[in-house]
C-alpha cells in the first residue's frame, strides 16, 4: 500500500510541477503534447493520474505526520481544476465552458468533503475558527473578510453589468434542421429520400458499400485500395466522378475550405463564422448527403434564422453550379476526408 | 470452493467471466440489430 | 385460505360486479369506435353510386373512407383565436403544466401504494409489515386532495382550450370524440375505485379481504395508466399524426389515430417519468417533515419514508434515459427534421440544460445514498472510496454536459481556431454522451449496492470470491462502456448508433446481476450494526429536496420541448398555427416560464400537504404508538 501511494505521490508532484510551469508560462502547454486523435481520452486520463497522485500525496503526507487539512485539500483541488482547464488544455477553452466545468467541480468538491459527517466537521473547522474568532489571527481574518468580500462582490457585479465594447456572444445553431424538401434548378428534392446519383457502383446502381470501399483512409490520407486512384485516366464511374468533383472543388471551394478540406483556405480567417472543417467528425461525417446538397445549393442565405443566415458568406452555389456538379463535389468531399455519409440502414 | 477464494484465482476467473460476458453481449446485441460489432477489425 | 364462507363469496361477487360496472362504459364504447363511425358516414354513402371519397393515411399509408372534415385553415382573429390581452399560448402552457404535474403525481402515488402495500403483506416481520401498510395509507391520503386538484386543473385546461383555441379544439375533439368520452367515463371508474380503496382500507385490512384490497390497487393503477395512455394519444397525434389524410380528414380508424408513431414511446417514458417525479415529491415531503420533526421517532419515521420514496423514484429513474432515447429514436425515424430541430437545431440548447439537470439528479441520488450509509454502523469501510465515485460521476457528468457548439465570444472563437474545440468538441457528440451517462448510471448502481450491503458482512462460503467478482464485473463494465464510447468515433454513423444498445445492456447487466448476486451473498449475513433511522445528516434531506426540484424542473422543460418541436403547427404538417404566437420563445423566456410553473406547483402542493396534515391531526396517531419505545429497527430489509 505504501509503495503504491508513494508512486502516486511521485506522479502527483511531477504533474503539479508541470502544471505550475504552464501556469507561470515557464514551459509551453505543448510540453506534454495532446496527441491528435486521442485528446479527449488523454485529458480524462491525465485528470485520473492527477487524482491518483493527489490521493497518494495526501496519504504520504499523513503517514509522515504532516496531514494536509481537508479544508485546504478541497479548495486546492478546485483551484487545480480551474487552473488545469485554463492553462493546460490548448487551444484555450471558452469561458462559458470553463464556468460550467468550474461550477460542476465545485459541486463535486462539496460532495467529496461532505460525504461523511467527520469529514464535513473537519472541513468546516477552519471556517468555524474564523467565524468564532477566538485567536488574534482569526479575528484579523474575520475583519479582513468583512471588508474584502463586499468589495469583491461589488467588483464582480460591476464587471458583469458594465457595458463592454466586445461583440456579444452568439448562439448560432451550427446544425439547423433542414427543410423537408428543396427546389434546385426547377426540380424538387425530398431530403429524407433523395440519393446522390453519382454514388454508383460499376453497374451504375446506387451503392454505398462499393463507394465506401474506394475512399481515402482517414488520418493517413492513403488510398484504401491500390486500384482506387481517381487520377488514373482508365477509371470510370464513381472514381471518374470523384475526379470531376475534385476539379470543381479546387476551382470553387478550396479558397475557403482549404486544400485539405480542413476549413483553412486562403480566405478562411477573414470570415466569422469561419468555413466548415470537413475533416472534423462533427461536420460532414455526421450528415446525410442530401443535407450537404441543401447547404451547398442554398448557401448561407438559405439557412433558417437560427443558423444566422446574415453571418454566413457561403455562396448559394445553385447560382454557379449545376445540380450534377454539386453532387459530384459532395462525392469528392466524402472521398477525400474518408468519411461515410450518414445513412438510415 | 476454497480455491476460488484465493484472491489471484478469483481475479482471473472473474476477469474471464466478465470479459467473456461483455464481449458476448456486445457482439450479440449488435448482431441482433443487423450491425457488425467487429467492423473496425475487419477493415 | 380457509372455508369459502358466505361473506367471502359475497365480497368476491361484489368486487367483480363493481369492477364490471366501472369498466362497463368502456366495454360498451369499444365496439363502435373500433368499427368506425357508421351514422354520419351512412348519410354520405346513402346515395347509391355516389362516389365515396377515399383518402390515404399520412402515416400508415392505408386507404380509408373520408369521414371527417379537413383540418380548419385558421386565420388570426377573434373567430379562430379569441384572446385576452395576453398571450393565449402561455395561459394554456400554465394550465397544461399544472394539470400534468398533478396528474403525474396522482398516477404515481397509487403505484407506490400498490408496491408498498404488497411489501406490507409479504413481509414476515410483523412490525415492519404494519409500518409499510400505514405508509401506503398515508400516501393515498395525500393523493386524495391532489386528485381533486388534478380534476379541477383538467377542467380549467379544457375551458382554456375551448375559449382560446376553439378551431383547434373543435378539430381535435371531432376526431377524438369517442376517446374523450371514454376518458371522461374512466375518471368515474378511477374515482370510484380510489374512494373505495381509501375508505375501505381499515375494513379490508386482514386476510382474504386484504388480497381483494390489493387487487383493487392493481385495478386502480390499470385504470390510471389507461387514462394516461388515452391522453397521450392526443399529444402523439399532434406531434406525429396518423389516421388522417393530408388535409387532416379523419379516415374512420380510431386505432390509427390513437396508435401514432410516438404513442408508445411517450407512454413508456411517461409511466417511468411519473414514478420518478412522484417519488421525488413524496421524498421532498418526507424531507420537509424530517427537518421540522420534534421527536426522534418522527425523525426516524420520515427518514425511512424519504428513503423508500427515493429508492422507488430512483429505481424508475434508472430506465428513464433509455425510454427517452427510444423516444428520440422514434422521433428521428418518424421525421428526421423534427429530430434535428430537437437536438441539433433550434432546441439544442434546451437539451444541454436537460443534460445538466439529469446530472444533478444522479449526483443528488448518489449523495443521498452516501449520507444514508453514514447512519449504518459498518459502512465506514466504503467511506474512503467515495471520492473515487465522485470522480467517476463528475467525469461522466462533464462529458455529458459539454455542448458541441460552445457559447463563446468572437475572440475566443479566433483563439480556438474554429467552431469546434479539438479536445472538447469530441465530447459534444452522442458517442461520448452515451458513455458519460452510462458511467453515471453504473456508478449510481454501485452506490446503491454499497448501501444495501453497508452494515453487513457476508457469511457465505464463497464470500471472498463473490466480492472480487463484483469488483471485477463493475470494473469491466466501466471499461466496456468507455471502450464502446471510444469505438464509436472510428466507425460510420449507422453502426455507431447501434452501439448504444450494448452500452445500455452493460449498465443494466450491472443493475440486475449485481443486485441479484448481492442479495444472494447477503443471505444470513452478519449485521455489524443496525440502521439508525433518524440519524441521517441534514444535508441528505436537502439532497432529497434538490432531487424533487430537479425532477419538477425537468418535467416542465421536456414538456416545453415536446410542445415547441411542432414549431408553427397545431397538428404537425396537418393543421397550421396561424395565431400571432406561432414562433418559438427565446430560451430565457422559456426558462423563466418553467421556473414559474415549478414554483407555483410546489407552493400549491405544500397547500395540499398542509390540508393532509389537518385531517391527520384529528385521527389518533396509531402508527408510531404500536411500536414500543426506541427507534424502530426494520431488521430484515430496508
Amino acid at each position: 500500500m505504501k509503495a503504491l501511494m508513494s508512486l502516486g505521490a511521485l506522479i502527483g508532484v511531477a504533474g503539479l510541477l508541470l502544471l505550475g510551469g504552464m501556469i507561470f508560462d515557464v514551459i509551453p502547454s505543448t510540453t506534454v503534447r495532446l496527441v491528435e486523435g486521442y485528446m479527449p481520452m488523454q485529458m480524462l486520463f491525465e485528470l485520473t493520474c492527477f487524482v491518483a497522485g493527489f490521493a497518494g500525496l495526501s496519504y504520504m503526507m499523513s503517514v509522515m505526520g504532516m496531514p494536509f487539512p481537508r479544508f485546504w485539500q478541497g479548495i486546492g483541488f478546485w483551484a487545480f481544476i480551474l487552473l488545469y482547464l485554463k492553462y493546460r488544455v490548448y487551444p484555450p477553452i471558452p469561458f462559458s465552458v470553463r464556468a460550467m466545468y468550474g461550477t460542476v467541480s465545485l459541486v463535486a468538491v462539496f460532495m467529496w468533503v461532505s460525504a461523511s459527517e467527520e469529514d464535513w466537521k473537519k472541513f468546516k473547522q477552519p471556517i468555524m475558527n474564523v467565524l468564532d474568532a477566538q485567536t488574534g489571527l482569526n479575528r484579523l481574518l474575520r475583519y479582513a473578510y468583512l471588508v474584502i468580500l463586499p468589495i469583491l462582490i461589488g467588483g464582480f457585479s460591476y464587471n458583469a453589468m458594465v457595458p463592454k465594447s466586445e461583440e456579444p456572444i452568439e448562439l448560432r445553431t451550427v446544425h439547423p434542421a433542414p427543410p423537408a424538401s428543396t427546389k434546385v434548378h426547377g426540380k424538387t428534392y425530398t431530403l429524407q429520400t433523395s440519393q446522390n446519383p453519382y454514388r454508383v457502383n460499376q453497374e451504375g446502381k446506387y451503392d454505398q458499400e462499393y463507394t465506401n470501399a474506394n475512399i481515402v483512409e482517414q488520418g493517413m490520407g492513403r488510398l484504401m485500395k491500390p486500384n482506387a486512384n481517381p487520377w488514373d485516366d482508365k477509371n470510370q464511374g464513381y472514381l471518374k466522378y470523384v475526379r470531376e468533383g475534385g476539379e470543381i472543388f479546387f476551382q470553387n471551394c478550396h479558397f475557403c475550405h482549404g486544400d485539405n478540406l480542413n476549413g483553412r483556405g486562403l480566405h478562411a480567417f477573414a470570415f466569422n463564422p469561419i468555413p466548415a472543417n470537413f475533416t472534423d467528425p462533427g461536420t460532414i461525417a455526421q450528415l446525410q448527403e442530401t443535407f450537404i446538397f441543401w447547404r451547398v445549393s442554398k448557401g448561407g442565405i438559405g439557412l433558417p434564422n437560427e443558423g444566422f443566415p446574415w453571418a454566413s458568406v457561403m455562396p448559394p452555389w445553385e447560382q454557379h453550379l449545376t445540380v450534377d456538379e454539386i453532387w459530384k463535389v459532395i462525392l469528392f468531399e466524402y472521398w477525400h476526408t474518408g468519411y461515410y455519409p450518414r445513412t438510415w440502414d | 470452493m476454497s480455491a476460488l477464494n484465493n484472491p489471484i484465482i478469483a481475479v482471473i476467473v472473474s476477469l474471464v467471466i466478465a470479459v467473456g460476458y461483455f464481449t458476448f453481449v456486445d457482439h450479440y446485441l449488435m448482431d441482433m440489430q443487423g450491425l457488425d460489432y467487429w467492423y473496425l477489425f475487419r477493415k | 385460505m380457509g372455508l369459502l364462507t358466505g361473506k367471502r363469496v359475497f365480497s368476491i361477487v361484489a368486487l367483480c360486479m363493481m369492477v364490471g360496472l366501472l369498466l362497463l362504459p368502456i366495454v360498451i364504447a369499444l365496439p363502435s369506435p373500433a368499427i368506425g363511425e357508421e351514422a354520419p358516414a351512412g348519410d354520405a354513402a346513402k346515395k347509391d353510386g355516389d362516389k365515396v371519397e377515399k383518402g390515404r393515411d399520412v402515416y400508415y399509408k392505408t386507404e380509408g373512407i373520408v369521414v371527417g372534415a379537413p383540418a380548419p385553415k385558421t386565420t388570426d382573429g377573434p373567430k379562430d383565436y379569441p384572446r385576452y390581452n395576453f398571450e393565449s399560448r402561455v395561459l394554456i402552457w400554465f394550465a397544461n403544466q399544472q394539470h400534468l404535474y398533478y396528474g403525474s403525481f396522482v398516477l404515481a402515488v397509487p403505484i407506490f401504494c400498490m408496491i408498498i402495500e404488497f411489501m406490507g403483506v409479504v413481509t414476515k416481520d410483523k412490525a415492519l409489515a404494519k409500518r409499510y401498510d400505514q405508509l401506503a395509507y398515508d400516501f393515498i391520503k395525500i393523493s386524495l386532495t391532489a386528485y381533486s386538484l388534478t380534476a379541477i386543473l383538467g377542467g380549467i385546461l379544457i375551458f382554456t382550450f375551448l375559449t382560446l383555441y376553439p378551431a383547434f379544439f373543435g378539430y381535435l375533439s371531432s376526431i377524438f370524440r369517442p376517446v374523450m368520452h371514454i376518458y371522461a367515463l374512466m375518471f368515474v371508474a378511477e374515482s370510484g375505485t380510489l374512494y373505495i380503496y381509501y375508505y375501505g382500507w381499515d375494513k379490508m385490512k386482514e386476510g382474504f379481504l386484504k388480497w381483494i384490497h390489493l387487487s383493487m390497487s392493481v385495478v386502480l393503477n390499470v385504470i390510471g395508466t389507461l387514462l394516461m395512455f388515452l391522453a397521450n394519444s392526443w399529444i402523439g397525434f399532434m406531434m406525429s399524426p396518423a389516421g388522417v389524410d393530408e388535409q387532416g380528414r379523419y379516415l374512420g380508424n380510431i386505432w390509427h389515430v390513437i396508435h401514432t408513431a410516438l404513442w408508445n414511446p411517450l407512454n413508456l417514458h411517461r409511466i417511468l417519468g411519473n414514478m420518478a417525479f412522484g417519488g421525488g415529491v413524496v421524498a421532498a415531503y418526507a424531507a420537509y417533515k424530517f427537518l421540522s420533526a420534534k421527536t426522534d421517532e418522527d425523525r426516524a419515521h420520515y427518514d425511512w419514508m424519504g428513503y423508500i420514496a427515493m429508492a422507488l423514484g430512483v429505481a424508475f429513474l434508472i430506465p428513464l434515459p433509455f425510454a427517452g432515447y427510444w423516444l428520440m429514436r422514434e422521433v428521428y425515424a418518424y421525421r428526421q427534421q423534427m429530430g434535428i430541430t430537437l437536438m441539433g437545431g433550434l432546441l439544442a440548447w434546451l437539451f444541454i440544460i436537460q443534460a445538466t439537470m439529469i446530472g444533478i439528479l444522479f449526483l443528488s441520488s448518489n449523495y443521498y445514498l452516501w449520507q444514508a450509509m453514514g447512519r449504518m454502523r459498518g459502512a465506514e469501510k466504503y467511506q474512503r472510496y467515495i471520492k473515487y465515485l465522485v470522480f467517476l460521476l463528475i467525469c461522466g457528468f462533464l462529458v455529458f454536459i459539454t455542448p458541441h457548439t460552445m457559447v463563446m465570444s468572437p475572440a475566443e472563437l479566433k483563439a480556438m481556431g474554429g467552431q469546434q474545440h479539438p479536445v472538447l468538441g469530441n465530447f459534444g457528440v452522442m458517442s461520448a454522451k452515451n458513455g458519460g451517462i452510462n458511467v453515471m448510471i453504473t456508478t449510481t448502481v454501485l452506490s446503491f449496492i454499497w448501501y444495501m450491503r453497508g452494515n453487513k458482512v457476508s457469511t457465505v462460503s464463497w464470500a471472498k470470491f463473490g466480492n472480487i467478482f463484483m469488483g471485477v464485473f463493475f470494473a469491466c463494465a466501466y471499461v466496456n462502456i468507455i471502450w464502446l464510447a471510444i469505438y464509436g468515433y472510428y466507425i460510420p454513423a449507422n453502426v455507431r448508433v447501434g452501439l448504444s444498445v450494448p452500452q445500455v445492456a452493460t449498465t443494466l447487466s450491472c443493475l440486475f446481476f449485481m443486485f441479484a448476486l448481492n442479495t444472494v451473498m447477503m443471505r444470513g449475513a452478519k449485521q455489524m450494526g443496525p440502521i439508525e433511522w433518524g440519524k441521517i445528516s441534514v444535508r441528505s434531506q436537502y439532497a432529497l429536496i434538490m432531487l424533487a426540484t430537479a425532477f419538477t424542473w425537468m418535467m416542465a422543460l421536456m414538456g416545453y420541448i415536446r410542445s415547441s418541436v411542432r414549431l408553427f403547427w397545431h397538428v404537425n404538417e396537418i393543421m397550421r398555427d396561424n395565431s400571432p404566437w406561432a414562433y418559438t420563445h427565446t430560451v430565457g423566456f422559456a426558462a423563466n416560464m418553467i421556473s414559474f410553473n415549478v414554483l407555483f406547483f410546489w407552493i400549491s402542493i405544500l397547500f395540499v400537504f398542509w390540508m393532509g396534515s389537518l385531517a391527520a391531526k384529528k385521527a389518533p396517531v396509531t402508527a408510531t404508538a404500536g411500536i414500543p419505545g426506541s427507534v424502530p429497527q426494520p431488521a430484515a430489509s430496508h
Side-chain angles (χ1 to χ4, degrees):
Chain A
M1 173 59 92
K2 209 162 177 180
L4 205 65
M5 286 301 181
S6 48
L7 178 66
L10 216 60
I11 298 175
V13 169
L16 276 173
L17 284 172
L18 276 169
L19 183 63
M22 289 178 194
I23 296 171
F24 294 108
D25 230 357
V26 171
I27 48 175
S29 296
T30 49
T31 306
V32 180
R33 254 183 72 235
L34 286 169
V35 181
E36 184 97 30
Y38 300 103
M39 288 194 246
M41 288 315 294
Q42 186 182 351
M43 190 176 115
L44 288 173
F45 177 68
E46 282 177 15
L47 280 172
T48 315
C49 287
F50 269 112
V51 165
F54 292 154
L57 207 57
S58 76
Y59 178 84
M60 292 310 287
M61 286 177 75
S62 68
V63 156
M64 292 196 294
M66 302 188 296
F68 200 34
R70 187 47 68 97
F71 177 75
W72 293 110
Q73 277 183 0
I75 298 201
F77 188 72
W78 187 53
F80 156 74
I81 295 272
L82 293 180
L83 291 169
Y84 178 87
L85 289 174
K86 190 164 160 99
Y87 289 105
R88 192 269 178 277
V89 180
Y90 62 91
I93 302 178
F95 176 72
S96 66
V97 180
R98 270 189 293 120
M100 270 165 58
Y101 280 10
T103 315
V104 170
S105 317
L106 189 61
V107 168
V109 167
F110 169 75
M111 283 171 71
W112 165 43
V113 300
S114 66
S116 78
E117 207 54 48
E118 52 173 281
D119 275 346
W120 183 230
K121 277 204 185 67
K122 276 195 270 182
F123 178 82
K124 282 195 294 186
Q125 200 52 51
I127 305 176
M128 297 309 232
N129 288 342
V130 169
L131 287 176
D132 285 338
Q134 298 293 350
T135 70
L137 177 64
N138 282 328
R139 214 171 293 140
L140 189 65
L141 275 175
R142 197 169 72 169
Y143 283 130
Y145 282 132
L146 182 63
V147 172
I148 295 176
L149 275 175
I151 295 179
L152 273 177
I153 295 175
F156 277 126
S157 314
Y158 173 78
N159 205 30
M161 292 173 66
V162 69
K164 298 195 182 70
S165 56
E166 273 175 17
E167 287 171 61
I169 53 178
E170 55 172 37
L171 222 54
R172 178 173 71 100
T173 300
V174 178
H175 188 187
S181 63
T182 182
K183 197 165 173 181
V184 182
H185 289 307
K187 189 159 168 260
T188 306
Y189 297 87
T190 307
L191 294 189
Q192 192 143 1
T193 51
S194 298
Q195 291 172 336
N196 190 338
Y198 293 104
R199 189 170 285 282
V200 293
N201 58 15
Q202 283 138 339
E203 284 99 44
K205 294 214 349 227
Y206 181 82
D207 189 347
Q208 274 217 292
E209 271 191 52
Y210 171 81
T211 56
N212 288 344
N214 286 315
I215 58 176
V216 162
E217 197 183 317
Q218 261 183 64
M220 295 308 287
R222 329 181 250 254
L223 297 176
M224 296 261 278
K225 279 191 173 162
N227 59 342
N229 184 4
W231 282 276
D232 189 339
D233 281 330
K234 290 191 286 304
N235 274 323
Q236 293 299 308
Y238 168 71
L239 290 168
K240 177 157 164 285
Y241 302 137
V242 164
R243 185 173 77 240
E244 289 169 6
E247 282 167 19
I248 301 166
F249 185 88
F250 283 100
Q251 285 166 0
N252 297 289
C253 320
H254 88 283
F255 304 102
C256 298
H257 288 289
D259 337 0
N260 269 332
L261 279 70
N262 57 359
R264 294 287 182 276
L266 284 176
H267 307 316
F269 289 102
F271 307 132
N272 181 13
I274 62 176
N277 175 357
F278 299 144
T279 60
D280 183 294
T283 56
I284 64 174
Q286 296 207 92
L287 301 169
Q288 290 185 308
E289 280 191 291
T290 48
F291 185 96
I292 319 263
F293 179 74
W294 166 61
R295 290 288 290 115
V296 171
S297 321
K298 299 298 174 184
I301 55 175
L303 282 168
N305 279 346
E306 70 256 26
F308 290 21
W310 54 85
S312 167
V313 298
M314 171 79 176
W317 286 103
E318 61 177 349
Q319 294 177 4
H320 307 280
L321 298 175
T322 64
V323 162
D324 295 320
E325 288 171 327
I326 296 178
W327 282 122
K328 285 180 191 165
V329 153
I330 298 174
L331 208 66
F332 170 76
E333 286 170 13
Y334 277 106
W335 176 86
H336 192 282
T337 52
Y339 287 130
Y340 308 152
R342 191 185 202 118
T343 51
W344 273 116
D345 42 333
Chain B
M1 196 45 97
S2 60
L4 268 181
N5 279 332
N6 178 328
I8 304 174
I9 309 262
V11 168
I12 296 176
V13 170
S14 311
L15 265 176
V16 167
I17 298 177
V19 171
Y21 170 73
F22 284 126
T23 312
F24 168 72
V25 157
D26 290 346
H27 169 84
Y28 180 69
L29 285 173
M30 288 298 275
D31 208 41
M32 218 176 65
Q33 300 177 80
L35 297 167
D36 182 11
Y37 172 63
W38 306 98
Y39 194 97
L40 197 62
F41 306 110
R42 288 201 208 285
K43 288 262 129 207
Chain C
M1 271 255 275
L3 296 168
L4 215 63
T5 61
K7 198 168 169 189
R8 287 187 182 168
V9 171
F10 173 74
S11 49
I12 298 175
V13 170
L15 177 71
C16 291
M17 271 184 60
M18 183 175 57
V19 172
L21 266 174
L22 291 170
L23 297 177
L24 191 64
I26 307 160
V27 171
I28 293 179
L30 267 176
S32 41
I35 297 172
E37 322 263 306
E38 294 148 342
D43 295 324
K46 229 181 246 176
K47 308 175 191 97
D48 272 81
D50 194 23
K51 62 172 165 70
V52 170
E53 203 172 347
K54 290 197 160 206
R56 183 170 291 278
D57 189 316
V58 284
Y59 179 67
Y60 284 103
K61 306 286 185 240
T62 54
E63 275 214 342
I65 300 173
V66 169
V67 167
K73 288 194 177 24
T74 53
T75 49
D76 181 13
K79 179 169 149 301
D80 291 328
Y81 297 106
R83 68 201 73 165
Y84 297 109
N85 194 8
F86 193 80
E87 193 174 330
S88 297
R89 181 165 58 147
V90 172
L91 293 173
I92 292 255
W93 186 352
F94 172 70
N96 206 349
Q97 188 63 70
Q98 298 304 320
H99 177 64
L100 283 174
Y101 276 144
Y102 276 99
S104 163
F105 183 61
V106 303
L107 284 180
V109 170
I111 303 182
F112 278 13
C113 290
M114 180 175 74
I115 299 175
I116 296 175
E117 194 185 359
F118 180 71
M119 277 158 68
V121 169
V122 300
T123 303
K124 296 193 181 49
D125 179 345
K126 283 286 166 233
L128 183 60
K130 208 164 151 110
R131 295 185 71 206
Y132 277 140
D133 201 66
Q134 184 62 36
L135 188 67
Y137 183 69
D138 289 336
F139 280 179
I140 205 79
K141 197 157 37 138
I142 301 173
S143 121
L144 272 181
T145 323
Y147 190 74
S148 344
L149 259 174
T150 313
I152 294 171
L153 287 164
I156 293 178
L157 181 60
I158 292 190
F159 288 145
T160 318
F161 267 123
L162 281 170
T163 52
L164 298 178
Y165 286 91
F168 163 72
F169 201 66
Y171 173 66
L172 202 71
S173 49
S174 72
I175 297 180
F176 281 99
R177 183 169 13 115
V179 174
M180 289 185 177
H181 281 137
I182 296 178
Y183 187 75
L185 289 173
M186 286 188 81
F187 263 120
V188 176
E190 168 107 349
S191 316
T193 318
L194 181 62
Y195 287 132
I196 298 176
Y197 180 67
Y198 174 69
Y199 287 110
W201 198 291
D202 276 337
K203 284 234 161 56
M204 297 168 94
K205 69 176 163 195
E206 240 128 60
F208 177 64
L209 281 178
K210 187 61 170 169
W211 286 101
I212 298 276
H213 194 246
L214 259 175
S215 321
M216 285 190 65
S217 77
V218 177
V219 169
L220 181 65
N221 284 310
V222 167
I223 298 176
T225 310
L226 280 176
L227 269 172
M228 184 183 71
F229 283 8
L230 290 177
N232 286 346
S233 68
W234 310 328
I235 304 168
F237 180 78
M238 286 167 78
M239 280 175 84
S240 57
V244 294
D245 69 2
E246 272 172 5
Q247 295 170 37
R249 298 180 297 183
Y250 177 45
L251 297 174
N253 190 334
I254 194 78
W255 176 240
H256 277 184
V257 289
I258 295 176
H259 189 237
T260 53
L262 296 177
W263 188 55
N264 274 324
L266 271 170
N267 286 340
L268 179 64
H269 195 63
R270 276 188 157 183
I271 292 180
L272 296 175
N274 284 350
M275 288 298 292
F277 172 70
V281 172
V282 175
Y285 167 75
Y288 170 70
K289 295 293 256 188
F290 176 96
L291 292 171
S292 59
K294 304 276 191 306
T295 66
D296 276 340
E297 272 171 4
D298 274 349
R299 254 189 292 272
H301 177 67
Y302 289 116
D303 181 9
W304 178 67
M305 185 196 279
Y307 170 72
I308 302 240
M310 175 261 170
L312 282 173
V314 172
F316 283 88
L317 169 68
I318 288 185
L320 197 55
F322 310 135
Y325 187 79
W326 180 39
L327 178 57
M328 276 310 297
R329 261 181 99 150
E330 290 301 316
V331 169
Y332 263 97
Y334 168 73
R335 263 313 162 268
Q336 185 199 35
Q337 230 180 324
M338 204 189 260
I340 296 182
T341 305
L342 279 170
M343 293 185 102
L346 193 56
L347 304 172
W349 286 107
L350 297 170
F351 274 92
I352 292 290
I353 303 179
Q354 193 219 13
T356 316
M357 301 303 289
I358 292 178
I360 292 177
L361 286 177
F362 280 104
L363 288 182
S364 309
S365 335
N366 276 285
Y367 188 73
Y368 175 82
L369 285 170
W370 301 334
Q371 298 302 304
M373 286 204 288
R375 57 160 150 66
M376 297 196 286
R377 294 297 122 241
E380 295 87 1
K381 57 179 179 270
Y382 293 118
Q383 288 291 348
R384 78 179 86 122
Y385 300 111
I386 285 182
K387 57 174 159 297
Y388 303 116
L389 288 192
V390 173
F391 182 66
L392 277 170
L393 274 176
I394 292 304
C395 282
F397 188 25
L398 288 178
V399 168
F400 197 54
I401 59 169
T402 308
H404 192 215
T405 302
M406 298 173 193
V407 175
M408 56 190 153
S409 66
E412 288 172 335
L413 178 80
K414 272 226 177 74
M416 248 170 53
Q419 193 76 34
Q420 312 296 344
H421 192 277
V423 179
L424 300 183
N426 286 312
F427 288 154
V429 293
M430 207 52 202
S431 199
K433 299 222 177 286
N434 268 336
I437 189 64
N438 277 302
V439 163
M440 286 168 73
I441 300 177
T442 309
T443 311
T444 312
V445 171
L446 185 59
S447 291
F448 233 124
I449 292 203
W450 281 1
Y451 175 80
M452 304 236 71
R453 59 185 358 222
N455 61 340
K456 298 187 181 139
V457 172
S458 179
T459 50
V460 295
S461 61
W462 43 277
K464 203 162 168 86
F465 174 68
N467 288 333
I468 292 181
F469 180 74
M470 284 179 85
V472 168
F473 194 84
F474 267 108
C476 287
Y478 280 118
V479 167
N480 194 35
I481 292 172
I482 298 175
W483 151 248
L484 287 172
I486 301 175
Y487 190 38
Y489 284 99
Y490 296 96
I491 53 183
N494 58 330
V495 185
R496 173 170 65 237
V497 165
L499 284 182
S500 62
V501 179
Q503 258 179 340
V504 163
T506 308
T507 309
L508 290 177
S509 300
C510 281
L511 178 62
F512 291 128
F513 292 147
M514 293 298 103
F515 257 96
L517 182 61
N518 192 46
T519 313
V520 170
M521 272 182 77
M522 290 299 140
R523 282 231 186 92
K526 188 171 69 157
Q527 253 203 8
M528 302 297 286
I531 302 176
E532 296 164 11
W533 295 106
K535 295 260 191 304
I536 198 169
S537 72
V538 155
R539 296 186 300 287
S540 65
Q541 305 303 306
Y542 290 124
L544 286 181
I545 295 178
M546 177 88 241
L547 205 59
T549 317
F551 273 131
T552 318
W553 215 92
M554 268 181 73
M555 238 178 94
L557 177 68
M558 290 292 105
Y560 169 67
I561 289 177
R562 172 192 43 83
S563 272
S564 56
V565 78
R566 273 180 285 117
L567 300 178
F568 44 75
W569 297 102
H570 283 313
V571 179
N572 198 36
E573 292 167 12
I574 303 281
M575 181 179 172
R576 202 166 173 117
D577 180 358
N578 287 317
S579 69
W581 314 291
Y583 61 89
T584 307
H585 277 132
T586 56
V587 174
F589 179 87
N592 284 339
M593 187 63 199
I594 291 170
S595 298
F596 172 73
N597 271 322
V598 169
L599 207 56
F600 187 88
F601 169 73
W602 275 100
I603 294 178
S604 63
I605 201 140
L606 281 176
F607 173 67
V608 169
F609 291 155
W610 174 71
M611 290 218 293
S613 75
L614 277 183
K617 282 198 182 64
K618 283 205 327 202
V621 182
T622 49
T624 44
I627 295 150
S630 57
V631 174
Q633 293 162 20
S637 66
H638 40 72

